[in-house]
Amino acid sequence: MTIKLVALVPMLCLMIGTAAAQEPKVTSLMSKDLPENPDREALMITVEHAPGGSSTIHRHNAHSFVYVLEGSVVMQLKGGQQVTLTPGQTFYEGPDDVHVVDRNASATQPAKFLVLLIKDKGAPALVPAQ
């Protein structure tokens, strides 16, 4: 039994490392209060997916405008169709939408997109969803 457990530890570490490597890199570019609507703010970020990378199911509770910069990404909202986007193409998520698919379409090339969020001031940019 001890030998089997010892053999499983490296395998579990490899699996955990692989799962962690799939998380996107999110970079905050700017945040701006909206004076005409004091309870709201704009947040601009970039999201980079490694080859084969993806995000977990989530929502933004915001108006979310996506612009693909590099590579190609597959997007799908709950109840909607999957779409594959390439550089220059756009995608929109409303405050009530659940983002069920957000992944790099390529297993060999990275993907990067710009996101502008119009959200409640101080609210998190991303909320896990089911």
Side-chain angles (χ1 to χ4, degrees):
M1 178 76 159
T2 303
I3 294 172
K4 289 181 184 178
L5 288 176
V6 170
L8 284 176
V9 170
M11 186 195 262
L12 289 173
C13 289
L14 180 62
M15 289 170 60
I16 290 168
T18 302
Q22 298 299 312
E23 288 296 313
K25 176 184 175 192
V26 177
T27 303
S28 180
L29 301 175
M30 75 177 293
S31 178
K32 177 77 172 144
D33 290 344
L34 301 175
E36 62 282 346
N37 193 342
D39 296 331
R40 308 280 278 170
E41 65 184 346
L43 174 64
M44 188 179 292
I45 61 174
T46 56
V47 178
E48 298 177 64
H49 283 301
S54 64
S55 294
T56 59
I57 296 173
H58 64 275
R59 62 183 308 129
H60 296 288
N61 298 333
H63 293 278
S64 177
F65 301 87
V66 175
Y67 181 83
V68 179
L69 298 168
E70 302 171 13
S72 59
V73 292
V74 179
M75 302 280 188
Q76 182 180 7
L77 300 177
K78 188 173 187 176
Q81 297 292 317
Q82 268 192 20
V83 294
T84 301
L85 306 168
T86 57
Q89 292 186 305
T90 60
F91 187 77
Y92 171 77
E93 296 173 58
D96 297 322
D97 288 329
V98 175
H99 204 160
V100 294
V101 176
D102 170 6
R103 67 176 167 82
N104 188 337
S106 172
T108 60
Q109 298 295 315
K112 182 177 183 179
F113 51 94
L114 178 74
V115 183
L116 172 65
L117 298 161
I118 309 292
K119 65 183 195 64
D120 289 341
K121 189 182 288 188
L126 184 138
V127 179
Q130 295 187 33

